[in-house]
Each structure stands twice: as structure tokens, then as C-alpha cells.
Amino acid sequence: MGTESFFSGMPPKTIWFRRKFWPAGTVFPEKCLPWGKVMYAIKGVAEIRASSLIYLSTAEYALWLPPNTEHASVAKTDIHYIIVNIAPPLCLSLPERATALKLNLIASAVIHDFSLREIGHPVSRQDRSLVKVFIEQLALCDEFTCYLPMGSGD
């Protein structure tokens, strides 16, 4: 694995879950990462620019960014966030463009369970099984390509 960066994290071997807190006003500069990313606000709001659209990331919807998607963001409020970095081979069944996802109950349960148990890199056979279920469920989630777009002046 490479070295960890405060803003981008470590490249995932397969998948890497992390939970972070950032204060309001934290700016995440534009980047383009070679892995997929699920961004999910447990509490708070972030504005994310991806694929020429601006999204609000809230607790109701996760934002999916496929590998090699340029994106930048700012924490509009204090934010408790779960970020899931997903290696490209696991992204093949997921949307090919940035999109908001309405997490279904199973995907939501897995992401919250890993967060509560502080599972970063799933190691046990059971947790690796949950990763497969999580990816399968992400592929089934309802997509919203225009969920809460807003101008950068807001």
C-alpha cells in the first residue's frame, strides 16, 4: 500500500472504509483518484463538484464517484463522513458516472456496521463476505444523477 494522504487516503487493495470528522469550511482540493469512491455523510453537509455538476452530500444519499473522476469538495457544516475507497476491479458493476445513490437497507447496514466496528480493511472471512454483499447492493441502489445540484454561490 502507498502512503496515506490526509485528503485522499490510502489506495485500497480491494476496499477501504474510513470514518472522519471535518469542521465546516474544510476544503478538499480537486483530485482524480484511480479508485472508486462512495462518500456518505452520517451528519452534516458537503458540497462536491464532480463531472461538471455540483452535489450536496447529506445523510439521505451517498455520492458515488467512479475511478478517475475529477472532484473537489468543501464541508458546508461540521461533517461526520464515511468514505469507502473501492479498487477498480470491484467497480465494474457500479455506475460509470458520478451519481447520488439512495442507499438501500442492506448497503446502509453494512456501511454503518463497519463504521461502528471501526473496520477499515475487512480481513475476516465474514467481513469479506459483507464487502461482496455491499458491492452487490450498491449496484442495486436507486441512482439520482441530479440530486440537489446547487450553484457554488450558495
Side-chain angles (χ1 to χ4, degrees):
M1 255 188 268
T3 58
E4 181 173 354
S5 160
F6 176 76
F7 290 116
S8 61
M10 298 180 341
K13 287 182 180 176
T14 54
I15 195 164
W16 180 39
F17 293 79
R18 66 184 178 138
R19 182 177 178 165
K20 299 288 275 187
F21 167 82
W22 286 286
T26 302
V27 174
F28 303 89
E30 186 168 63
K31 59 190 158 283
C32 184
L33 304 170
W35 55 81
K37 186 185 250 189
V38 175
M39 303 170 74
Y40 177 67
I42 299 169
K43 182 178 181 183
V45 177
E47 179 183 287
I48 301 164
R49 184 177 45 76
S51 302
S52 302
L53 293 174
I54 297 176
Y55 297 88
L56 282 182
S57 177
T58 68
E60 289 81 24
Y61 293 82
L63 185 63
W64 162 247
L65 301 174
N68 302 308
T69 300
E70 287 187 17
H71 61 285
S73 57
V74 62
K76 301 300 265 182
T77 66
D78 288 351
I79 190 164
H80 295 267
Y81 224 61
I82 296 174
I83 299 164
V84 184
N85 294 321
I86 304 172
L90 296 180
C91 298
L92 298 176
S93 65
L94 301 176
E96 295 180 3
R97 66 191 178 291
T99 188
L101 297 175
K102 175 72 172 151
L103 293 182
N104 64 32
L105 292 175
I106 297 171
S108 182
V110 172
I111 205 169
H112 281 93
D113 175 64
F114 279 18
S115 175
L116 290 173
R117 292 190 295 131
E118 299 180 354
I119 301 294
H121 297 279
V123 176
S124 73
R125 181 182 55 78
Q126 294 87 351
D127 287 340
R128 288 192 317 266
S129 264
L130 285 176
V131 165
K132 291 178 186 175
V133 169
F134 178 72
I135 297 295
E136 290 169 355
Q137 292 302 308
L138 279 180
L140 297 173
C141 289
D142 291 333
E143 297 178 37
F144 299 89
T145 55
C146 300
Y147 179 66
L148 291 180
M150 62 183 259
S152 59
D154 292 334

